[in-house]
Amino acid sequence: AQTVTQSQPEMSVQEAETVTLSCTYDTSENNYYLFWYKQPPSRQMILVIRQEAYKQQNATENRFSVNFQKAAKSFSLKISDSQLGDTAMYFCASQGAQKLVFGQGTRLTINP
Amino acid sequence: EPEVTQTPSHQVTQMGQEVILRCVPISNHLYFYWYRQILGQKVEFLVSFYNNEISEKSEIFDDQFSVERPDGSNFTLKIRSTKLEDSAMYFCASSKDQDGYTFGSGTRLTVV
């Protein structure tokens, strides 16, 4: 069975700081994808970044980057130069056959 | 940018009533999903749908639930005989090839 664990229920940083959100996962799939989703107070699920497991290079999207450690089954999200609009719940997810499995989420607050 | 559209955005129903949640996936996507998020909890997989049939379902998706693609564009989730614990945010998602999911903005279901 697939599992995804986010060990940080809440985090808080000052605007412009860098913050890293942790995620570990377990899967029996050989080829899979990993995702980070942002859920603002509107509760919409917004894709932040995606990593293909067979690619060694870490994915980056502007201020967002991941540290993908396949052997350790770790997939952390780094947000650089954090902005007030980054305040949201962040969910890590693993894609196995036919479905996404989500972690419990990390509530991130960016303080002015 | 193409969107997944969900209606209604908020539905209030009495316990025991049937509800139908509607979704219009992105037109060239082939895989369709329903997820559920009880307030304050993680996002849970309900069902995936491909080639006009259910491809996988979770243990949550019991006989109370059904899905249908009635006309080639809509994708519906029917919940029969609703219970208080069915109150949640329901997300529809679609995917072209299972490596990228687009979520709708969700339907907030309140059972009273």
Side-chain angles (χ1 to χ4, degrees):
Chain A
Q2 278 178 264
T3 59
V4 177
T5 303
Q6 294 178 249
S7 58
Q8 304 151 312
E10 294 188 22
M11 295 191 73
S12 177
V13 298
Q14 295 298 118
E15 192 177 6
E17 288 184 347
T18 294
V19 59
T20 299
L21 309 183
S22 302
C23 173
T24 58
Y25 64 94
D26 195 11
T27 180
S28 57
E29 301 285 333
N30 291 322
N31 192 19
Y32 53 91
Y33 296 86
L34 298 165
F35 304 87
W36 278 97
Y37 281 89
K38 172 184 178 181
Q39 189 179 45
S42 67
R43 298 190 72 185
Q44 185 164 3
M45 297 293 286
I46 302 167
L47 177 65
V48 174
I49 200 165
R50 181 185 80 168
Q51 174 78 42
E52 297 165 81
Y54 64 87
K55 287 189 176 179
Q56 291 187 329
Q57 187 172 8
N58 289 323
T60 62
E61 286 287 343
N62 302 313
R63 297 183 295 108
F64 299 88
S65 62
V66 298
N67 183 3
F68 175 46
Q69 301 288 328
K70 190 171 183 178
K73 295 185 176 176
S74 169
F75 182 61
S76 61
L77 174 70
K78 185 171 85 170
I79 306 174
S80 303
D81 186 27
S82 57
Q83 300 175 358
L84 298 179
D86 296 333
T87 292
M89 282 289 286
Y90 286 81
F91 291 96
C92 178
S94 167
Q95 179 260 322
Q98 306 294 339
K99 66 183 181 186
L100 285 175
V101 174
F102 287 86
Q104 307 92 318
T106 296
R107 184 178 303 279
L108 176 64
T109 302
I110 310 299
N111 298 307
Chain B
E1 188 167 328
E3 289 185 341
V4 174
T5 304
Q6 288 187 245
T7 55
S9 56
H10 190 189
Q11 172 109 33
V12 181
T13 189
Q14 289 204 322
M15 193 167 54
Q17 295 295 306
E18 175 182 287
V19 295
I20 297 176
L21 309 184
R22 303 183 190 278
C23 171
V24 179
I26 294 173
S27 61
N28 64 346
H29 283 190
L30 303 175
Y31 300 85
F32 315 115
Y33 310 85
W34 284 101
Y35 288 82
R36 179 180 82 175
Q37 185 183 32
I38 295 171
L39 185 64
Q41 298 186 22
K42 67 178 179 180
V43 181
E44 300 174 293
F45 168 75
L46 290 178
V47 65
S48 59
F49 193 87
Y50 172 72
N51 201 25
N52 288 318
E53 61 182 22
I54 290 173
S55 48
E56 187 168 345
K57 59 183 181 179
S58 72
E59 60 274 11
I60 303 169
F61 194 88
D62 59 20
D63 292 343
Q64 186 192 4
F65 295 88
S66 62
V67 290
E68 195 177 33
R69 189 157 161 78
D71 56 13
S73 61
N74 290 285
F75 179 51
T76 62
L77 174 69
K78 182 188 291 185
I79 310 174
R80 287 179 280 274
S81 189
T82 50
K83 299 175 281 195
L84 294 177
E85 54 264 38
D86 295 327
S87 293
M89 197 78 167
Y90 289 82
F91 291 101
C92 175
S94 70
S95 171
K96 190 172 182 181
D97 47 15
Q98 294 190 280
D99 63 350
Y101 298 75
T102 303
F103 281 81
S105 53
T107 293
R108 184 189 302 268
L109 177 65
T110 303
V111 182
V112 298

